[in-house]
């Protein structure tokens, strides 16, 4: 999607009026318009609408973790019926999940990508509440699913309408070009 000409014109007209008497190079205006275009595309492009954040607002014991409190579901990828997130488009996604046990119980949840185990959270304490958290960065293809399952039916997750501690969130990273992870060419240690 491109920025309409009238947006360019209005922005440039404002900049010229506000900066009269100053002379800027073509590089400055090119950078300014490129930044404006990136911002406009980010705000209006539906690809940036690929995120969700959900929570558990009641106590839960069982295996299928289905979060009932939907804080955000941009792009509609999370199903509050199945508890699964379905990627609308391919890309790199980040997922975070957190849980709190009921007193004198444990929590043990596992993250799955297309029914393949990825990682877990675990929390256990004698006579107290216990918490666990984890995260994963996954390379998804459009149509892939990501979800949480409780490892055992005896796990007891704490939740109440005014006390939401068990959450599951995910979002798509938006890269222009190839992602660079770490410091290329630099050896640490």
């Amino acid at each position: 999607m491109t920025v309409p000409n009238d947006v360019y014109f209005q922005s440039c007209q404002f900049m010229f009026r506000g900066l009269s008497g100053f002379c800027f190079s073509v590089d400055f205006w090119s950078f300014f318009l490129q930044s404006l275009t990136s911002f406009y595309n980010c705000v209006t492009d539906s690809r940036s609408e690929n995120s969700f954040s959900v929570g558990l607002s009641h106590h839960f014991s069982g295996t299928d973790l289905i979060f009932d409190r939907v804080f955000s579901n941009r792009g509609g990828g999370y199903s509050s019926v199945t508890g699964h997130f379905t990627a609308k488009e391919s890309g790199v996604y980040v997922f975070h999940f957190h849980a709190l046990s009921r007193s004198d119980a444990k929590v043990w949840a596992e993250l799955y990508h297309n029914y393949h185990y990825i990682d877990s959270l675990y929390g256990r304490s004698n006579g107290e509440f216990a918490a666990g958290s984890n995260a994963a960065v996954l390379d998804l293809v459009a149509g892939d699913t990501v979800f949480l399952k409780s490892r055992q039916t005896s796990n007891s997750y704490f939740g109440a309408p005014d006390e939401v501690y068990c959450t599951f969130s995910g979002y798509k990273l938006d890269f222009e070009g190839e992602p660079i992870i770490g410091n290329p060419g630099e050896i640490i240690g």
Side-chain angles (χ1 to χ4, degrees):
M1 181 173 278
T2 58
V3 176
N5 289 336
D6 60 326
V7 173
Y8 284 131
F9 176 75
Q10 290 170 359
S11 300
C12 292
Q13 188 181 29
F14 169 78
M15 291 300 291
F16 277 114
R17 241 187 271 139
L19 299 172
S20 60
F22 291 96
C23 180
F24 292 97
S25 71
V26 172
D27 289 339
F28 169 82
W29 291 112
S30 175
F31 173 76
F32 171 76
L33 291 175
Q34 184 179 9
S35 298
L36 181 64
T37 301
S38 294
F39 174 74
Y40 179 84
N41 289 340
C42 179
V43 170
T44 61
D45 194 343
S46 63
R47 290 179 305 156
S48 63
E49 302 293 318
N50 242 330
S51 63
F52 73 98
S53 183
V54 294
L56 193 62
S57 68
H58 61 277
H59 297 317
F60 173 79
S61 293
T63 56
D64 294 327
L65 278 167
I66 299 174
F67 297 86
D68 62 319
R69 175 81 53 90
V70 178
F71 303 113
S72 174
N73 192 13
R74 293 180 171 250
Y78 179 79
S79 169
S80 56
V81 174
T82 64
H84 293 201
F85 170 78
T86 303
K88 300 293 183 185
E89 62 182 40
S90 301
V92 177
Y93 289 77
V94 179
F95 297 93
H96 300 269
F97 49 107
H98 314 279
L100 179 70
S101 74
R102 295 180 72 178
S103 182
D104 203 24
K106 68 179 176 183
V107 288
W108 187 356
E110 297 178 330
L111 183 72
Y112 287 87
H113 170 208
N114 291 339
Y115 296 92
H116 296 284
Y117 169 80
I118 301 299
D119 60 9
S120 304
L121 69 73
Y122 183 84
R124 179 172 180 244
S125 179
N126 293 327
E128 299 292 328
F129 295 94
S133 294
N134 212 333
V137 178
L138 302 174
D139 193 7
L140 303 182
V141 175
D144 282 1
T145 59
V146 177
F147 58 94
L148 290 172
K149 284 189 82 67
S150 183
R151 175 68 182 217
Q152 300 168 333
T153 57
S154 61
N155 291 332
S156 187
Y157 298 83
F158 185 89
D162 60 343
E163 295 183 72
V164 178
Y165 298 103
C166 301
T167 60
F168 180 33
S169 302
Y171 54 91
K172 181 179 181 287
L173 295 177
D174 195 11
F175 296 109
E176 288 191 24
E178 288 296 313
I180 298 173
I181 299 174
N183 297 319
E186 186 175 317
I187 298 174
I188 300 174

